[in-house]
Amino acid sequence: MQFKDQLDFVRQHVKKNRMRIFTTILATTMGCAFLIVLASVAFGLQNSLKKEVLSDDTLTRIEVYNDGNKEIEPTEIKKMKNVNAVTMNTLIQTGNLEANIDAYKGSPEVILTDFKENEKANLKLSKGTYPEKADGVVVGYNVAQILLSKEDEKKLEKDASKINIGIQESMIGKKITLNWKNEETKKKVTRTFTIEGVGPKPKKEWEQDGTIRISKENEEALVQDLKTLYGKKLKAEEMIYRTTAVYATDLEAVTAINKALQDEGYATYTVSQQLEEMNLLFLALKAGLIFVGTIAILIASIGIFNTMTMAVTERTREIGVMKAIGASPKLIQRLFVMESAYIGVIGTVIAVIISYIVSFAANYAIPKILYMATNEKEFLTTEIQFSAIPWQLVVIAAAISIGVAILSGWRPARKATKIDVIQALRQD
């Protein structure tokens, strides 16, 4: 019997018992769809968190910390292979600071940095360029909204939701004055700079960049002035906080540089480390959910086993005729296994289609449902993916579903091969 004839044989017997086969396929579909939809939640959340992590930082960035064991030496780090740039940011954390641009004033943070290293690290600005002189600064994207005029303050007193406040025109080329004041002595230190660049827009709506970045060339003089302003006993370490970041030439070099830094005694952190830990966690979660979904398919396999057992019982005489005309036991077994596989394949195909529909519906409807329940508009603009079905999940689910279906039909198929020909022909 050719393979085409075997398929026709299976289809004919499926048509004879449509209702029974339909309910068995339905059970298989429900089990497989349950597995896919359940596991898709883990895949969706993993994609969302991965996107969140990657949006927070660059993949080539390695943060280096001074844990007290070793002082950070940027010159030595720059000599390492595949190091593109080393940025050292120094946050001035001492004193009452007020910044003024024309009639606008506020209290941003001041950071000392090396603009040339920032350029090497490819840290792009939203407007303007990095300063080449010591009196040039780069302001954060939200500094324009932090600095307020007296009219803006009155607007906020009447309506805290006002958004058209602060400096509305371009700040490039404007002069900004920084005043550190000692409230006890009423003395102050004043520095005036020219705004030459505006930092990038924060990737999240709730984030704000209210920093003013000035050249590190000003550090020695500024720290000395602040020590004089607030007392000579004040140590430089108490006035500033340094952060260091190493940028690799490419993603492939991050692991080697990170290991070299750790070997030198530095404490480090990279996004790739966070991704590895996160992927390990979600791997365990996905395995657990697939295991739970597999139980549903195993329950459905009971229906396939019963269906195939009944099929063998009902076709006892037919099996006897096939044996009498020379059909081999292997052929008979193959026909029944093909029938159970047919149920598994049809059920899996339908389950995959249903799963994608459910996944799309969940990603579309859940944010709206959460919005109606909480009245929080953030849910309508959220990038959280509640369900994702990659092809790997489809392959795993299909392999489990079809494999279980074949195994469920294998025992009844073996039973069919052992039917005695004479007794089968005598049966009505």
Side-chain angles (χ1 to χ4, degrees):
M1 182 182 288
Q2 295 182 353
F3 183 72
K4 181 180 178 182
D5 298 326
Q6 294 175 23
L7 288 177
D8 290 337
F9 180 87
V10 171
R11 279 196 290 266
Q12 288 174 10
H13 284 88
V14 167
K15 289 180 180 179
K16 288 179 182 179
N17 301 283
R18 288 181 179 176
M19 184 54 67
R20 185 196 303 160
I21 298 297
F22 171 77
T23 55
T24 308
I25 290 176
L26 181 61
T28 304
T29 299
M30 292 174 64
C32 186
F34 177 75
L35 187 158
I36 296 174
V37 172
L38 189 64
S40 73
V41 175
F43 280 95
L45 293 177
Q46 183 183 19
N47 289 345
S48 299
L49 286 177
K50 190 173 181 180
K51 189 183 296 183
E52 181 89 6
V53 170
L54 296 181
S55 67
D56 280 345
D57 212 336
T58 59
L59 287 174
T60 58
R61 175 173 174 157
I62 305 167
E63 295 178 12
V64 183
Y65 301 98
N66 180 0
D67 59 0
N69 297 324
K70 185 177 177 65
E71 288 293 327
I72 297 174
E73 298 289 345
T75 306
E76 295 299 319
I77 295 175
K78 288 178 185 177
K79 294 178 182 178
M80 291 183 178
K81 187 179 180 180
N82 294 323
V83 170
N84 186 39
V86 178
T87 63
M88 293 193 72
N89 294 327
T90 304
L91 173 65
I92 302 295
Q93 56 185 11
T94 298
N96 264 338
L97 171 64
E98 182 181 272
N100 298 87
I101 298 179
D102 299 330
Y104 297 88
K105 63 181 180 179
S107 299
E109 291 184 329
V110 172
I111 293 176
L112 295 153
T113 190
D114 187 335
F115 292 127
K116 291 182 179 179
E117 290 297 313
N118 281 279
E119 282 189 284
K120 283 184 183 179
N122 198 28
L123 301 179
K124 297 181 180 179
L125 303 175
S126 61
K127 293 180 182 178
T129 59
Y130 279 109
E132 294 184 359
K133 297 181 179 180
D135 64 346
V137 298
V138 172
V139 297
Y141 189 85
N142 302 106
V143 167
Q145 288 76 49
I146 291 176
L147 303 181
L148 305 175
S149 65
K150 291 183 178 180
E151 289 75 14
D152 292 332
E153 292 175 356
K154 291 178 181 178
K155 288 179 183 179
L156 288 175
E157 288 177 3
K158 294 180 181 179
D159 185 1
S161 64
K162 289 287 185 182
I163 57 174
N164 293 323
I165 56 175
I167 303 172
Q168 301 300 313
E169 67 271 16
S170 173
M171 292 191 294
I172 302 296
K174 288 184 176 292
K175 297 288 184 180
I176 182 168
T177 302
L178 305 179
N179 298 295
W180 284 271
K181 188 176 182 181
N182 187 326
E183 294 294 341
E184 294 180 2
T185 63
K186 303 302 180 183
K187 294 181 179 179
K188 65 179 181 179
V189 171
T190 300
R191 292 282 189 277
T192 300
F193 300 92
T194 303
I195 298 174
E196 297 189 25
V198 178
K201 182 178 180 180
K203 292 183 173 67
K204 301 180 182 64
E205 292 184 3
W206 50 267
E207 286 183 329
Q208 281 200 332
D209 182 4
T211 60
I212 297 175
R213 297 176 182 268
I214 64 180
S215 174
K216 71 170 187 175
E217 298 174 30
N218 299 281
E219 181 176 339
E220 186 176 343
L222 182 57
V223 169
Q224 187 60 44
D225 285 347
L226 290 177
K227 286 176 70 176
T228 303
L229 181 65
Y230 292 103
K232 292 186 178 181
K233 292 182 180 180
L234 193 65
K235 296 180 181 179
E237 305 88 64
E238 298 172 350
M239 302 171 59
I240 59 178
Y241 175 74
R242 300 185 192 277
T243 59
T244 306
V246 178
Y247 289 85
T249 53
D250 51 57
L251 180 59
E252 290 72 20
V254 171
T255 302
I257 295 174
N258 187 49
K259 187 177 184 305
L261 288 168
Q262 290 176 346
D263 291 342
E264 289 291 326
Y266 295 113
T268 63
Y269 167 81
T270 67
V271 172
S272 59
Q273 287 177 328
Q274 186 176 352
L275 286 175
E276 288 174 5
E277 294 170 2
M278 186 184 73
N279 289 337
L280 185 63
L281 173 65
F282 275 99
L283 179 62
L285 177 60
K286 287 183 284 189
L289 293 178
I290 290 173
F291 176 76
V292 173
T294 302
I295 294 175
I297 294 179
L298 291 174
I299 294 172
S301 71
I302 298 174
I304 298 176
F305 179 83
N306 289 336
T307 297
M308 297 310 301
T309 301
M310 291 182 67
V312 171
T313 304
E314 291 174 351
R315 296 184 213 164
T316 301
R317 183 178 179 81
E318 185 177 340
I319 294 170
V321 172
M322 291 173 64
K323 282 190 171 185
I325 61 176
S328 66
K330 285 186 178 180
L331 175 60
I332 295 172
Q333 180 177 331
R334 189 184 308 123
L335 291 172
F336 283 95
V337 170
M338 287 175 63
E339 190 169 332
S340 63
Y342 177 87
I343 295 172
V345 170
I346 298 299
T348 299
V349 171
I350 298 173
V352 170
I353 296 171
I354 292 174
S355 298
Y356 273 106
I357 293 172
V358 171
S359 178
F360 286 125
N363 289 327
Y364 175 79
I366 289 179
K368 290 179 170 52
I369 294 171
L370 291 174
Y371 168 68
M372 289 187 289
T374 63
N375 203 31
E376 294 287 340
K377 291 184 178 180
E378 287 78 8
F379 287 114
L380 296 178
T381 57
T382 182
E383 295 184 1
I384 296 177
Q385 194 172 13
F386 295 94
S387 175
I389 305 176
W391 65 267
Q392 295 95 329
L393 177 57
V394 173
V395 171
I396 292 171
I400 293 173
S401 182
I402 297 172
V404 168
I406 292 173
L407 289 175
S408 300
W410 183 81
R411 180 66 181 174
R414 287 289 297 168
K415 181 181 177 182
T417 63
K418 296 177 181 179
I419 293 176
D420 183 77
V421 178
I422 297 175
Q423 290 182 355
L425 294 174
R426 287 177 178 174
Q427 187 171 331
D428 294 332

